[in-house]
Amino acid sequence: MIHMHVSAVFQVRDGFTGKIVEGNQLRCALDGGRIRPLVKPGGYLVLVDLPEGRHRLTLQSVGFREEPVDFTASRQGCWEGYLALKPAEGYAFRQAVTRVSLTLKKGQTPMAGQSLWLTSPGAPDCKVAQAAAEAGCTELRLYCKTPGHLPLPGTVLIDDGGDSEVVTLLGLTGETGQLASPLRRSHSRSRRLLPAQQYRTDDSGRISAVFPAAGELLVYAEGAGEAKRLNLVDGNNDFMVSFKET
């Protein structure tokens, strides 16, 4: 009997529509070399028997940008990730879109190669419903007007000033949300949970993104203080965003 260790599982979505992207539509590379992961229905890619340590999975598909993700493989467990592919030239938009270009700096220095998170304008109204969600909790009681519009499983930003953090929301049972890992910070009632996608700046500290609607955009970089808030209008938007030196 052949035994395989499942090292990592990734679910892939279209970052613009939220729809599943099936694995047979993807070209995959691991640490720079082409691979063919196991493909499962529901947009899942399964990697098996990887050497322990850090790896980079890179995904490509027609109409999307190349999407890299770094993860750690271990014989003691399985890495689980949720990826959102970003539209590129050739993406088949079927509606008017809102575009944004951001130049990011920390003090006067461009934030080159920086990983950060952008929320989705017009996101569904979802808030912490308990008096206090303590650090270490793996569940959250939530109030969501339209829970079906949350990307589940998926990543969300808990909008809480200097205590903001990005968490992976695995599912929602009634009013209880299950988290992939414990909260790192405590959060009080009515803090918003906003669907968020990860981006990486280029060598000049710039990123670009496309959204279905205008509205408030939050830009969050781990360890760079409170998220920045921008108001997007229909059409093209261009901002300079500066975080304080820490």
Side-chain angles (χ1 to χ4, degrees):
M1 182 179 295
I2 299 176
H3 294 279
M4 295 186 296
H5 172 69
V6 176
S7 302
V9 177
F10 297 90
Q11 187 186 50
V12 185
R13 293 179 180 270
D14 180 326
F16 185 78
T17 65
K19 294 180 179 179
I20 292 297
V21 176
E22 295 295 351
N24 56 14
Q25 303 175 40
L26 300 169
R27 297 186 300 278
C28 307
L30 184 69
D31 301 330
R34 289 289 300 275
I35 61 166
R36 295 184 66 180
L38 300 176
V39 174
K40 300 294 183 181
Y44 288 98
L45 302 176
V46 181
L47 306 181
V48 300
D49 294 333
L50 298 183
E52 289 192 301
R54 296 288 291 173
H55 298 277
R56 171 168 287 187
L57 177 68
T58 304
L59 305 181
Q60 292 180 310
S61 186
V62 175
F64 293 99
R65 302 179 193 176
E66 182 176 279
E67 186 73 24
V69 58
D70 297 317
F71 67 99
T72 301
S74 170
R75 299 298 297 181
Q76 281 67 55
C78 171
W79 174 279
E80 295 183 47
Y82 304 94
L83 303 180
L85 300 183
K86 317 303 191 301
E89 294 298 326
Y91 184 91
F93 293 111
R94 305 186 189 281
Q95 63 186 83
V97 298
T98 297
R99 300 179 183 272
V100 60
S101 294
L102 304 176
T103 301
L104 294 107
K105 294 184 176 182
K106 185 174 287 186
Q108 297 301 314
T109 305
M111 295 171 66
Q114 172 74 47
S115 178
L116 51 87
W117 298 84
L118 304 184
T119 63
S120 300
D125 190 5
C126 187
K127 299 177 180 179
V128 175
Q130 61 207 73
E134 302 292 343
C137 289
T138 57
E139 291 186 335
L140 278 174
R141 192 156 60 85
L142 302 174
Y143 167 74
C144 298
K145 283 186 177 179
T146 52
H149 292 172
L150 280 173
L152 296 174
T155 50
V156 295
L157 171 69
I158 302 179
D159 180 18
D160 195 4
D163 289 323
S164 298
E165 63 178 303
V166 173
V167 300
T168 298
L169 193 59
L170 295 176
L172 191 61
T173 304
E175 295 183 345
T176 302
Q178 296 82 38
L179 303 176
S181 56
L183 291 174
R184 291 179 288 113
R185 304 180 180 106
S186 298
H187 306 283
S188 57
R189 191 191 308 275
S190 296
R191 299 304 183 192
R192 296 187 302 165
L193 277 72
L194 302 170
Q197 294 180 21
Q198 190 171 33
Y199 289 75
R200 185 173 280 117
T201 59
D202 64 16
D203 291 342
S204 61
R206 290 183 63 83
I207 60 172
S208 59
V210 186
F211 299 101
E216 185 182 54
L217 169 72
L218 269 64
V219 183
Y220 175 74
E222 183 69 40
E226 187 172 346
K228 301 298 183 180
R229 301 170 191 273
L230 306 173
N231 186 40
L232 303 188
V233 298
D234 294 331
N236 297 324
N237 299 260
D238 200 335
F239 293 95
M240 178 82 72
V241 180
S242 182
F243 290 91
K244 293 181 179 179
E245 295 278 8
T246 56

